[in-house]
Amino acid sequence: MNTSAHSDTPGTLAGRPLEEWNAAYSKVESYFHALRVRNKVLLGQLVALVLERAMQRSASEIQRSATELAVEEMDRLVNEWFAQVLEAPPAGAEMLSTRGRLALLLADMPGKWQDQFLRPGPWPSEFAVKMREMYLRAGPDFQLAKMTPRPLDLGPITTLTQMSRLPYFKMAASWVLFGLLLILLFYLTHHEP
Amino acid sequence: MISAPPIAETVAGHAVGPKAAPTLRMRRSWRVFTFFSSAVLLTGLISWLFADLLGRTGWTLSAFILLGLFTVLVLLISVGCMQGVFGFVLRLTGDRRITRLKDYRGQSIQGVGTALVFPIYNEQVPRVCEGLRATYLSLQKTGLLGRFDFYILSDSSEPDKWVEEEQRWIELVKDLDALGRIYYRRRMINEGKKSGNIRDFLSTWGARYRYFVVFDADSVMSGETLVNLVKLMETHPQVGLIQTVPELVNAASLFGRMQQFANRLYAPIFITGLNFWAQGFGNYWGHNAIIRTEPFMQHCDLPQLPGARPFGGQILSHDFVEAALLLKGNWEVWLAYDLEGSYEEAPQTMIENARRDRRWCQGNMQHAMVVWARGLRGISRIHLAMGILGYLASPLWLFFLLTFNWMLWYEANTGLSIITVRPLTPFLKVNATQHALLIFAICMVMLFLPKVLALVDLARDATRRRAFGGIGHAILGATAETAFSTLHAPMQMLWHSQFVAASLLLFGVSWGPQKRTADGITWGEAIRQHWGHTAIGLAWGAAIWHLGHPAFWWFAPVLAGMASSIPVSVLTSRASLGQKVRGLGLFVTPEETAPPPEIAGLRARMAALKESGQTAPRPADAGLADAVLDPYVNAVHVSLLREKGQNPAYAQALADLGVGKPEVRTLCEKLLTEGPEHLRRTEKLLILSDAEVLPWLHRQAWLRPSGTLARWWQEQIRQHAR
């Protein structure tokens, strides 16, 4: 980090107390951690890069905290890099940020390409192609169709009036007859004359 | 990604199944007639004996009621018994199956697209994803993975579950390099529950696939079975649906292992018996089945039933009705009982089992309305009626016991002595007690004969015998399982009676969250759920003891089940006991002896996840925190939301929810400054549904000075930075 331009009184950096920059450092480091940048050397370099940019704004924006400046710079730096890698047309920062983070995940930046993150181009073609081509979909192209429920005619009375048309009606009737026959036999054999 | 041409058989735009030849129809009718007539004959003979017994002490209104109830209950037992007997005989004589492997082995499935759909609702997400992974890897081995697409179709209503599903899905996709092969979609409004979920999938992507296979959240299927199912469908264009018979696996508790053992031991003869009369007019059990897309879309969009609950409104148990509608449209529904490699898991405790029964009971009671629908095939009415009676049997049995008690009480309190007369049947030279014992013995034989036949069937097959740990262990297991069933049945009777009454009288049955330890349910939970059963058992027992000691011993098995419900429920829920009896060689199943690769892989993955703490319940609002703070989870979530906007139906659903309105930003401010505990579940869902505010929230949560955020966020940021 080039701090010579910002060195002033002891215990301060770019006109602010060291504790303030320490807090900013922590916040930026936290976000890169959340992006799964685990390599400590790379992490340190990236945080330093962000803080360098924040310190350059420090003198002119004295009313804002170092953390705010650092996080803003981090956001800007990451988005600028996304725009270059993705060769993205100018779009809203949030749209670009979402697309970029998704591309990082799908191209497996945390696993394979940590050293390429926020590095100026040219990038390895495999990485650049993966970043540009990866996209996420919940499904293939929609092929919309319409399902229309057919009403069920549930009228039991209607059905009962047409019992003879019911399937297996004859079979059921034969069982009923069999039951009646049992009752009849039972009555005849138990009935005292 | 697959695009398949629609099936060719359409008439004026309507998919129709070819009509069966007259000889085939006659054969089918003959099978139905033979099977059910034998059950009716058996019922008639036993009811005759029972009527004779009642006649010996004189006819009263109570005796007539008792006879009526007995006849219905014995008919149900007879159907079960006959199913076992027919199944056993068919397996003995070499059943002529409706499907033979050689008929379809050579069938090509090139150019045929099949979707495997996993409808889920607030499920244990790691288990869902690992089940899918097992199926995926198995399909990969067949070399035909490219013919299949996977869809996780979420209806989850818990914000944290939603985010967790997306996280696990993207991890799975990355692990398997399955981008564009495994998809995830969550509906914004879960209208129509599971059947609505499937309908939504079909309306959006169904036209791309000739077939789809429905999975349950805990289903696994082998790749070979899936490929065989598609080949079967291709070979038999008249078939609209093929249901496999899922084998229960992965049980750990004593209860789960007993259920699993019973399923694996008894199912083959029962299912063969069922298939004897059902043939091409089978049933659908809601999952582990392949479905021909076009006729399903044509016939199976379920209408709302007229009238109010419990019978009107949305059809809850949709599967039986969908099978009936396919049959109505002249499509066949098969039961592929000879195809292995289809698995599911079962509830691990009696309470979980009852909870599932509660849902099914409500749906089956509703079928009392559907059973009258015009145009349904007779066999569909039988399937529906048997489903209804499966639950109605419990209150009928309870009513039977109470009527019998009433008669005992009446006799005891009137002081009238019982004078028995000779029995009708001349060759029955027995007194009244022996007569009663004879009927009891016949009923017991009918209940237990299928189990004995299943053991004989096992003894005949050396490979299966070994897979069950040897015939000696299988006999011991079946005996122990039968003893447990005797205790469990009275509790089922009380539960089911409660559920039927609740369904008919429209009152809810409250369960509350289940309190479990790693080893099973707690004693407190068991007391909360079973104190009523215990109290009924003790009070009932005391009352019968008071009436007369001989009657008490008749009721002893029923009363013992109720009175011992608390310890039985706790002990059978114990995984440690399940493992202990496994060590003794009891309740061993083929999938335990030699786990198929899909199940072995699944178990290993789940054990590893458990070891690393990934299956443990997540803290409240962990999903919301991830969706806002984690740069990748946020990006995945937002990307999926943005895509939804391209589907007019989803866009409308989002608009209906209130997405994009200024109020959402106000909620976001509240979320940042006060924390999620100050938001309702629906408000969190609304925020998570808005693709515009989520990137903004992500930025704000990281950008704002810590002091301006709720303390909860500060802690979450610390955790996400680790």
Side-chain angles (χ1 to χ4, degrees), chain B residues 590-640:
Chain B
E591 286 71 29
E592 287 180 336
T593 315
E598 299 80 23
I599 301 304
L602 172 65
R603 280 185 202 152
R605 292 276 315 169
M606 287 306 292
L609 288 177
K610 194 176 175 186
E611 187 75 18
S612 60
Q614 291 190 59
T615 54
R618 300 191 347 146
D621 298 311
L624 183 65
D626 285 344
V628 172
L629 291 175
D630 188 301
Y632 298 128
V633 177
N634 179 272
V636 169
H637 188 82
V638 172
S639 300
L640 292 176

Short mmCIF file of all heavy atoms in Angstrom, two decimals, chain B residues 590-640:
data_model
loop_
_atom_site.label_atom_id
_atom_site.label_comp_id
_atom_site.label_asym_id
_atom_site.label_seq_id
_atom_site.Cartn_x
_atom_site.Cartn_y
_atom_site.Cartn_z
N PRO B 590 -33.59 -57.33 2.95
CA PRO B 590 -32.57 -57.48 1.92
C PRO B 590 -31.72 -56.24 1.71
O PRO B 590 -30.52 -56.33 1.46
CB PRO B 590 -33.39 -57.79 0.66
CG PRO B 590 -34.65 -58.40 1.18
CD PRO B 590 -34.92 -57.75 2.48
N GLU B 591 -32.33 -55.06 1.88
CA GLU B 591 -31.57 -53.82 1.66
C GLU B 591 -30.61 -53.54 2.80
O GLU B 591 -29.72 -52.70 2.68
CB GLU B 591 -32.52 -52.61 1.46
CG GLU B 591 -33.22 -52.59 0.12
CD GLU B 591 -34.27 -53.66 -0.02
OE1 GLU B 591 -34.84 -54.07 1.02
OE2 GLU B 591 -34.53 -54.13 -1.15
N GLU B 592 -30.81 -54.22 3.94
CA GLU B 592 -29.84 -54.10 5.03
C GLU B 592 -28.71 -55.11 4.84
O GLU B 592 -27.55 -54.81 5.08
CB GLU B 592 -30.53 -54.35 6.38
CG GLU B 592 -31.43 -53.20 6.81
CD GLU B 592 -32.11 -53.45 8.15
OE1 GLU B 592 -32.27 -54.63 8.54
OE2 GLU B 592 -32.51 -52.47 8.79
N THR B 593 -29.09 -56.32 4.40
CA THR B 593 -28.09 -57.37 4.21
C THR B 593 -27.11 -57.01 3.09
O THR B 593 -25.90 -57.13 3.25
CB THR B 593 -28.78 -58.71 3.86
OG1 THR B 593 -29.88 -58.88 4.74
CG2 THR B 593 -27.84 -59.88 3.99
N ALA B 594 -27.66 -56.60 1.98
CA ALA B 594 -26.81 -56.23 0.83
C ALA B 594 -27.38 -54.96 0.22
O ALA B 594 -28.18 -55.01 -0.71
CB ALA B 594 -26.82 -57.36 -0.20
N PRO B 595 -26.99 -53.81 0.78
CA PRO B 595 -27.58 -52.55 0.30
C PRO B 595 -27.29 -52.32 -1.18
O PRO B 595 -26.14 -52.47 -1.63
CB PRO B 595 -26.90 -51.48 1.15
CG PRO B 595 -26.27 -52.20 2.28
CD PRO B 595 -25.98 -53.59 1.81
N PRO B 596 -28.31 -51.96 -1.96
CA PRO B 596 -28.07 -51.60 -3.36
C PRO B 596 -27.16 -50.36 -3.40
O PRO B 596 -27.15 -49.57 -2.44
CB PRO B 596 -29.46 -51.26 -3.90
CG PRO B 596 -30.42 -51.66 -2.84
CD PRO B 596 -29.69 -51.80 -1.56
N PRO B 597 -26.41 -50.16 -4.47
CA PRO B 597 -25.45 -49.04 -4.50
C PRO B 597 -26.11 -47.69 -4.23
O PRO B 597 -25.52 -46.83 -3.56
CB PRO B 597 -24.89 -49.08 -5.93
CG PRO B 597 -25.39 -50.33 -6.56
CD PRO B 597 -26.40 -50.98 -5.68
N GLU B 598 -27.34 -47.52 -4.72
CA GLU B 598 -28.02 -46.22 -4.53
C GLU B 598 -28.24 -45.95 -3.03
O GLU B 598 -28.01 -44.85 -2.54
CB GLU B 598 -29.39 -46.19 -5.22
CG GLU B 598 -29.36 -46.37 -6.72
CD GLU B 598 -29.22 -47.83 -7.14
OE1 GLU B 598 -29.57 -48.73 -6.36
OE2 GLU B 598 -28.74 -48.07 -8.28
N ILE B 599 -28.68 -47.02 -2.33
CA ILE B 599 -28.99 -46.85 -0.90
C ILE B 599 -27.70 -46.76 -0.09
O ILE B 599 -27.60 -45.96 0.84
CB ILE B 599 -29.88 -48.03 -0.43
CG1 ILE B 599 -31.18 -48.05 -1.25
CG2 ILE B 599 -30.20 -47.92 1.06
CD1 ILE B 599 -31.97 -46.78 -1.22
N ALA B 600 -26.70 -47.56 -0.46
CA ALA B 600 -25.43 -47.51 0.27
C ALA B 600 -24.81 -46.12 0.13
O ALA B 600 -24.33 -45.53 1.11
CB ALA B 600 -24.49 -48.57 -0.28
N GLY B 601 -24.84 -45.58 -1.08
CA GLY B 601 -24.29 -44.25 -1.33
C GLY B 601 -25.04 -43.19 -0.55
O GLY B 601 -24.44 -42.29 0.06
N LEU B 602 -26.35 -43.30 -0.56
CA LEU B 602 -27.19 -42.33 0.16
C LEU B 602 -26.87 -42.36 1.65
O LEU B 602 -26.68 -41.30 2.28
CB LEU B 602 -28.67 -42.67 -0.08
CG LEU B 602 -29.70 -41.89 0.73
CD1 LEU B 602 -29.68 -40.43 0.37
CD2 LEU B 602 -31.11 -42.45 0.50
N ARG B 603 -26.78 -43.56 2.21
CA ARG B 603 -26.50 -43.68 3.65
C ARG B 603 -25.14 -43.07 3.99
O ARG B 603 -25.00 -42.36 4.98
CB ARG B 603 -26.49 -45.15 4.06
CG ARG B 603 -27.87 -45.72 4.25
CD ARG B 603 -27.76 -47.15 4.76
NE ARG B 603 -28.98 -47.87 4.47
CZ ARG B 603 -29.05 -49.17 4.29
NH1 ARG B 603 -27.96 -49.91 4.35
NH2 ARG B 603 -30.20 -49.75 4.04
N ALA B 604 -24.15 -43.35 3.14
CA ALA B 604 -22.80 -42.84 3.41
C ALA B 604 -22.80 -41.31 3.37
O ALA B 604 -22.21 -40.65 4.25
CB ALA B 604 -21.82 -43.40 2.39
N ARG B 605 -23.49 -40.75 2.39
CA ARG B 605 -23.52 -39.28 2.26
C ARG B 605 -24.26 -38.65 3.45
O ARG B 605 -23.82 -37.64 3.98
CB ARG B 605 -24.24 -38.88 0.96
CG ARG B 605 -23.51 -39.22 -0.31
CD ARG B 605 -22.47 -38.21 -0.72
NE ARG B 605 -22.90 -36.83 -0.62
CZ ARG B 605 -22.11 -35.78 -0.72
NH1 ARG B 605 -20.82 -35.96 -0.93
NH2 ARG B 605 -22.57 -34.56 -0.64
N MET B 606 -25.38 -39.27 3.83
CA MET B 606 -26.14 -38.72 4.95
C MET B 606 -25.34 -38.82 6.25
O MET B 606 -25.39 -37.90 7.07
CB MET B 606 -27.49 -39.45 5.10
CG MET B 606 -28.51 -39.11 4.03
SD MET B 606 -28.85 -37.35 3.83
CE MET B 606 -29.68 -36.95 5.36
N ALA B 607 -24.60 -39.92 6.41
CA ALA B 607 -23.79 -40.07 7.62
C ALA B 607 -22.71 -38.98 7.65
O ALA B 607 -22.43 -38.39 8.70
CB ALA B 607 -23.16 -41.46 7.64
N ALA B 608 -22.10 -38.72 6.48
CA ALA B 608 -21.06 -37.69 6.41
C ALA B 608 -21.65 -36.31 6.72
O ALA B 608 -21.03 -35.51 7.44
CB ALA B 608 -20.41 -37.71 5.03
N LEU B 609 -22.82 -36.05 6.20
CA LEU B 609 -23.47 -34.75 6.45
C LEU B 609 -23.81 -34.61 7.93
O LEU B 609 -23.67 -33.54 8.51
CB LEU B 609 -24.74 -34.61 5.60
CG LEU B 609 -24.55 -34.40 4.10
CD1 LEU B 609 -25.89 -34.36 3.38
CD2 LEU B 609 -23.81 -33.09 3.83
N LYS B 610 -24.28 -35.70 8.52
CA LYS B 610 -24.63 -35.67 9.94
C LYS B 610 -23.37 -35.42 10.77
O LYS B 610 -23.39 -34.62 11.71
CB LYS B 610 -25.27 -37.00 10.33
CG LYS B 610 -25.97 -36.99 11.66
CD LYS B 610 -26.66 -38.30 11.92
CE LYS B 610 -27.26 -38.28 13.33
NZ LYS B 610 -27.81 -39.57 13.70
N GLU B 611 -22.32 -36.09 10.38
CA GLU B 611 -21.04 -35.94 11.09
C GLU B 611 -20.59 -34.49 11.07
O GLU B 611 -20.09 -33.97 12.06
CB GLU B 611 -20.00 -36.83 10.39
CG GLU B 611 -18.67 -36.95 11.07
CD GLU B 611 -18.71 -37.83 12.31
OE1 GLU B 611 -19.64 -38.63 12.47
OE2 GLU B 611 -17.79 -37.70 13.10
N SER B 612 -20.76 -33.83 9.92
CA SER B 612 -20.30 -32.44 9.81
C SER B 612 -21.35 -31.44 10.29
O SER B 612 -21.19 -30.23 10.11
CB SER B 612 -19.94 -32.14 8.34
OG SER B 612 -21.06 -32.33 7.52
N GLY B 613 -22.42 -31.94 10.87
CA GLY B 613 -23.44 -31.06 11.45
C GLY B 613 -24.36 -30.42 10.44
O GLY B 613 -25.14 -29.52 10.78
N GLN B 614 -24.32 -30.89 9.19
CA GLN B 614 -25.13 -30.22 8.16
C GLN B 614 -26.59 -30.65 8.14
O GLN B 614 -27.39 -30.08 7.41
CB GLN B 614 -24.51 -30.48 6.78
CG GLN B 614 -23.19 -29.77 6.62
CD GLN B 614 -22.71 -29.82 5.18
OE1 GLN B 614 -23.37 -29.35 4.28
NE2 GLN B 614 -21.56 -30.42 4.97
N THR B 615 -26.91 -31.70 8.92
CA THR B 615 -28.32 -32.10 8.96
C THR B 615 -29.01 -31.55 10.21
O THR B 615 -30.22 -31.73 10.37
CB THR B 615 -28.45 -33.63 8.95
OG1 THR B 615 -27.66 -34.15 10.02
CG2 THR B 615 -27.98 -34.24 7.65
N ALA B 616 -28.24 -30.89 11.06
CA ALA B 616 -28.83 -30.33 12.29
C ALA B 616 -29.74 -29.16 11.93
O ALA B 616 -29.51 -28.48 10.92
CB ALA B 616 -27.71 -29.86 13.21
N PRO B 617 -30.78 -28.92 12.73
CA PRO B 617 -31.67 -27.79 12.44
C PRO B 617 -30.89 -26.48 12.44
O PRO B 617 -30.01 -26.29 13.28
CB PRO B 617 -32.68 -27.82 13.60
CG PRO B 617 -32.56 -29.17 14.20
CD PRO B 617 -31.18 -29.66 13.92
N ARG B 618 -31.21 -25.61 11.50
CA ARG B 618 -30.47 -24.34 11.40
C ARG B 618 -31.12 -23.31 12.32
O ARG B 618 -32.30 -23.39 12.61
CB ARG B 618 -30.48 -23.86 9.95
CG ARG B 618 -29.83 -24.90 9.07
CD ARG B 618 -29.53 -24.51 7.66
NE ARG B 618 -30.08 -23.31 7.10
CZ ARG B 618 -29.42 -22.55 6.21
NH1 ARG B 618 -28.20 -22.88 5.84
NH2 ARG B 618 -29.98 -21.51 5.68
N PRO B 619 -30.33 -22.31 12.77
CA PRO B 619 -30.92 -21.28 13.63
C PRO B 619 -32.02 -20.52 12.89
O PRO B 619 -32.04 -20.49 11.65
CB PRO B 619 -29.74 -20.36 13.93
CG PRO B 619 -28.52 -21.07 13.50
CD PRO B 619 -28.91 -22.09 12.50
N ALA B 620 -32.90 -19.92 13.65
CA ALA B 620 -34.00 -19.15 13.06
C ALA B 620 -33.43 -18.05 12.17
O ALA B 620 -32.43 -17.42 12.51
CB ALA B 620 -34.86 -18.56 14.15
N ASP B 621 -34.04 -17.86 11.03
CA ASP B 621 -33.71 -16.80 10.06
C ASP B 621 -32.31 -16.95 9.44
O ASP B 621 -31.80 -16.01 8.84
CB ASP B 621 -33.83 -15.40 10.70
CG ASP B 621 -35.26 -15.13 11.13
OD1 ASP B 621 -36.16 -15.36 10.30
OD2 ASP B 621 -35.48 -14.72 12.28
N ALA B 622 -31.75 -18.16 9.56
CA ALA B 622 -30.43 -18.40 8.94
C ALA B 622 -30.52 -18.24 7.42
O ALA B 622 -29.61 -17.70 6.78
CB ALA B 622 -29.93 -19.79 9.29
N GLY B 623 -31.62 -18.69 6.85
CA GLY B 623 -31.81 -18.59 5.40
C GLY B 623 -31.91 -17.15 4.95
O GLY B 623 -31.30 -16.74 3.95
N LEU B 624 -32.65 -16.37 5.72
CA LEU B 624 -32.82 -14.95 5.39
C LEU B 624 -31.46 -14.24 5.46
O LEU B 624 -31.11 -13.44 4.57
CB LEU B 624 -33.81 -14.31 6.36
CG LEU B 624 -34.16 -12.85 6.13
CD1 LEU B 624 -34.89 -12.67 4.80
CD2 LEU B 624 -35.01 -12.32 7.27
N ALA B 625 -30.70 -14.56 6.49
CA ALA B 625 -29.37 -13.94 6.63
C ALA B 625 -28.50 -14.30 5.42
O ALA B 625 -27.81 -13.44 4.87
CB ALA B 625 -28.71 -14.42 7.92
N ASP B 626 -28.53 -15.56 5.02
CA ASP B 626 -27.72 -15.99 3.86
C ASP B 626 -28.16 -15.26 2.59
O ASP B 626 -27.33 -14.84 1.79
CB ASP B 626 -27.85 -17.50 3.65
CG ASP B 626 -27.06 -18.28 4.68
OD1 ASP B 626 -26.19 -17.68 5.34
OD2 ASP B 626 -27.32 -19.49 4.84
N ALA B 627 -29.48 -15.16 2.41
CA ALA B 627 -29.99 -14.54 1.18
C ALA B 627 -29.60 -13.08 1.08
O ALA B 627 -29.46 -12.52 -0.02
CB ALA B 627 -31.51 -14.68 1.11
N VAL B 628 -29.41 -12.43 2.22
CA VAL B 628 -29.04 -11.01 2.21
C VAL B 628 -27.52 -10.85 2.21
O VAL B 628 -26.97 -10.08 1.41
CB VAL B 628 -29.67 -10.28 3.42
CG1 VAL B 628 -29.14 -8.84 3.52
CG2 VAL B 628 -31.19 -10.27 3.29
N LEU B 629 -26.83 -11.59 3.07
CA LEU B 629 -25.40 -11.31 3.28
C LEU B 629 -24.47 -12.11 2.37
O LEU B 629 -23.45 -11.58 1.93
CB LEU B 629 -25.04 -11.60 4.74
CG LEU B 629 -25.62 -10.62 5.76
CD1 LEU B 629 -25.29 -11.09 7.17
CD2 LEU B 629 -25.10 -9.21 5.54
N ASP B 630 -24.80 -13.37 2.13
CA ASP B 630 -23.87 -14.20 1.35
C ASP B 630 -23.91 -13.76 -0.12
O ASP B 630 -24.96 -13.82 -0.77
CB ASP B 630 -24.27 -15.67 1.48
CG ASP B 630 -23.23 -16.58 0.86
OD1 ASP B 630 -22.96 -16.43 -0.35
OD2 ASP B 630 -22.69 -17.44 1.58
N PRO B 631 -22.78 -13.33 -0.65
CA PRO B 631 -22.79 -12.78 -2.03
C PRO B 631 -23.29 -13.80 -3.06
O PRO B 631 -23.93 -13.42 -4.04
CB PRO B 631 -21.31 -12.45 -2.29
CG PRO B 631 -20.66 -12.41 -0.97
CD PRO B 631 -21.42 -13.30 -0.05
N TYR B 632 -23.00 -15.06 -2.83
CA TYR B 632 -23.39 -16.08 -3.81
C TYR B 632 -24.85 -16.50 -3.64
O TYR B 632 -25.58 -16.64 -4.62
CB TYR B 632 -22.47 -17.30 -3.69
CG TYR B 632 -21.03 -16.96 -3.98
CD1 TYR B 632 -20.01 -17.30 -3.10
CD2 TYR B 632 -20.68 -16.26 -5.13
CE1 TYR B 632 -18.69 -16.97 -3.36
CE2 TYR B 632 -19.35 -15.93 -5.40
CZ TYR B 632 -18.37 -16.28 -4.50
OH TYR B 632 -17.07 -15.95 -4.77
N VAL B 633 -25.25 -16.71 -2.40
CA VAL B 633 -26.65 -17.12 -2.17
C VAL B 633 -27.57 -16.01 -2.67
O VAL B 633 -28.59 -16.28 -3.32
CB VAL B 633 -26.89 -17.41 -0.66
CG1 VAL B 633 -28.35 -17.76 -0.41
CG2 VAL B 633 -25.99 -18.54 -0.19
N ASN B 634 -27.19 -14.78 -2.40
CA ASN B 634 -27.97 -13.64 -2.86
C ASN B 634 -28.06 -13.64 -4.39
O ASN B 634 -29.14 -13.45 -4.97
CB ASN B 634 -27.34 -12.35 -2.34
CG ASN B 634 -28.08 -11.10 -2.81
OD1 ASN B 634 -27.79 -10.58 -3.88
ND2 ASN B 634 -29.03 -10.65 -2.01
N ALA B 635 -26.94 -13.89 -5.03
CA ALA B 635 -26.92 -13.86 -6.50
C ALA B 635 -27.78 -14.98 -7.09
O ALA B 635 -28.53 -14.76 -8.05
CB ALA B 635 -25.48 -13.99 -7.01
N VAL B 636 -27.67 -16.17 -6.51
CA VAL B 636 -28.47 -17.29 -7.01
C VAL B 636 -29.96 -17.00 -6.82
O VAL B 636 -30.77 -17.16 -7.75
CB VAL B 636 -28.09 -18.60 -6.25
CG1 VAL B 636 -29.07 -19.72 -6.54
CG2 VAL B 636 -26.68 -19.03 -6.62
N HIS B 637 -30.30 -16.54 -5.63
CA HIS B 637 -31.71 -16.27 -5.32
C HIS B 637 -32.29 -15.22 -6.26
O HIS B 637 -33.38 -15.40 -6.81
CB HIS B 637 -31.80 -15.81 -3.85
CG HIS B 637 -33.18 -15.68 -3.35
ND1 HIS B 637 -33.92 -16.75 -2.90
CD2 HIS B 637 -34.00 -14.61 -3.26
CE1 HIS B 637 -35.11 -16.33 -2.53
NE2 HIS B 637 -35.19 -15.02 -2.74
N VAL B 638 -31.54 -14.14 -6.44
CA VAL B 638 -32.04 -13.05 -7.29
C VAL B 638 -32.14 -13.51 -8.75
O VAL B 638 -33.11 -13.19 -9.45
CB VAL B 638 -31.12 -11.80 -7.16
CG1 VAL B 638 -31.49 -10.73 -8.17
CG2 VAL B 638 -31.21 -11.23 -5.76
N SER B 639 -31.17 -14.29 -9.20
CA SER B 639 -31.22 -14.76 -10.60
C SER B 639 -32.45 -15.60 -10.85
O SER B 639 -33.11 -15.48 -11.89
CB SER B 639 -29.98 -15.60 -10.91
OG SER B 639 -28.83 -14.83 -10.72
N LEU B 640 -32.77 -16.48 -9.89
CA LEU B 640 -33.95 -17.32 -10.06
C LEU B 640 -35.23 -16.49 -10.04
O LEU B 640 -36.17 -16.76 -10.79
CB LEU B 640 -33.99 -18.40 -8.97
CG LEU B 640 -32.90 -19.48 -9.04
CD1 LEU B 640 -32.98 -20.43 -7.86
CD2 LEU B 640 -33.00 -20.26 -10.35
#
